[in-house]
């Protein structure tokens, strides 16, 4: 994948790729790795009182699609279709359950991205994995970071997605923008990250994964010189 742009964009992209190379996991967690304490909204509880969904956890994967635009790097997000039974209208990353036929979480994330937003796997350069994220409903999500070709054509699958939009990486990388909110769910108080962006609200698992991206790649300070 060849990306040529302005000097500023090229510098931002080079910095991002260097951080990804240094800080992302090359391989996903193996089937025998412990999953009792992955990242998740439960880890935001200050007193350790959160109820962690017990194993076995259902496996899922999402693609965190990074694209280099002239205005800077951005991440592609979706707004789930309003008619869906679960999480309708919410902001999400392309992804879903890992099927038995998927060779890896990477393969599952690419398959789901193609189904949801028409992104060809050939247009994605896989960069690595973030920390697994355990949802309150018991899904253990493997976030896959991928650099996508800016020329890739995207189209929402109306059965699953109402809209595709992009958020500047500079916004998502600013950890000060993330609000810690609380709501009662299944009779218990649950804390979660939320990030308002225009008329949309990025929250829950999606915000938690993006906050982990900002944290893992150590945005907020310059990359250490080698």
């Amino acid at each position: 994948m060849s990306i040529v742009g302005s000097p500023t964009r090229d510098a931002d992209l080079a910095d991002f790729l260097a951080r990804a190379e240094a800080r992302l996991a090359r391989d996903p967690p193996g089937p025998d790795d412990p999953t009792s304490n992955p990242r998740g909204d439960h880890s935001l509880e200050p007193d350790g009182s959160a109820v962690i969904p017990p194993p076995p956890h259902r496996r899922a994967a999402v693609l965190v699609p990074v694209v280099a635009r002239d205005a800077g790097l951005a991440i592609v997000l979706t707004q789930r279709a309003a008619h869906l039974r679960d999480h309708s209208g919410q902001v999400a990353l392309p992804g879903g359950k890992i099927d038995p036929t998927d060779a890896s979480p990477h393969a599952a994330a690419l398959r789901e991205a193609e189904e949801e937003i028409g992104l060809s796997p050939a247009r994605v350069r896989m960069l690595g994995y973030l920390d697994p994220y355990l949802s309150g409903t018991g899904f253990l999500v493997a976030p896959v970071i991928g650099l996508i070709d800016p020329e890739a054509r995207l189209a929402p699958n109306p059965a699953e997605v109402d809209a595709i939009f992009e958020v500047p990486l500079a916004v998502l990388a600013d950890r000060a923008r993330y609000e810690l909110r609380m709501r009662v769910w299944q009779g218990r108080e649950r804390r979660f990250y939320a990030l308002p962006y225009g008329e949309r609200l990025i929250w829950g698992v999606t915000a938690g994964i993006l906050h982990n991206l900002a944290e893992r790649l150590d945005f907020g300070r310059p990359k250490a010189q080698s």
Side-chain angles (χ1 to χ4, degrees), residues 43-91:
S43 60
L44 301 178
E45 297 296 330
D47 58 1
S49 63
V51 175
I52 302 174
H57 301 130
R58 293 171 288 178
R59 301 279 175 151
V62 296
L63 181 67
V64 183
V66 181
V67 60
R69 302 295 189 196
D70 288 339
L73 273 60
I75 290 181
V76 178
L77 294 170
T78 70
Q79 183 169 331
R80 290 172 58 81
H83 65 262
L84 294 176
R85 184 181 64 180
D86 297 323
H87 311 296
S88 60
Q90 291 185 12
V91 172

Side-chain angles (χ1 to χ4, degrees), residues 187-211:
R188 296 182 62 88
E189 293 182 349
R190 297 295 297 264
R191 288 173 172 79
F192 56 91
Y193 282 121
L195 191 157
Y197 180 71
E199 297 180 350
R200 292 185 168 97
L201 179 68
I202 305 167
W203 67 282
V205 172
T206 300
I209 289 172
L210 295 172
H211 185 274

Side-chain angles (χ1 to χ4, degrees), residues 70-158:
D70 288 339
L73 273 60
I75 290 181
V76 178
L77 294 170
T78 70
Q79 183 169 331
R80 290 172 58 81
H83 65 262
L84 294 176
R85 184 181 64 180
D86 297 323
H87 311 296
S88 60
Q90 291 185 12
V91 172
L93 292 157
K97 290 183 291 186
I98 298 176
D99 290 343
T101 54
D102 291 321
S104 65
H106 172 208
L110 291 180
R111 174 182 56 76
E112 288 282 348
E114 186 169 29
E115 291 175 4
E116 292 182 12
I117 62 174
L119 175 61
S120 169
R123 298 286 192 173
V124 183
R125 173 183 167 187
M126 196 275 198
L127 300 180
Y129 290 88
L130 291 173
D131 300 315
Y133 200 95
L134 180 59
S135 75
T137 53
F139 279 98
L140 188 65
V141 184
V144 182
I145 310 301
L147 181 68
I148 71 172
D149 188 334
E151 300 300 322
R153 294 186 178 182
L154 306 179
N157 176 352

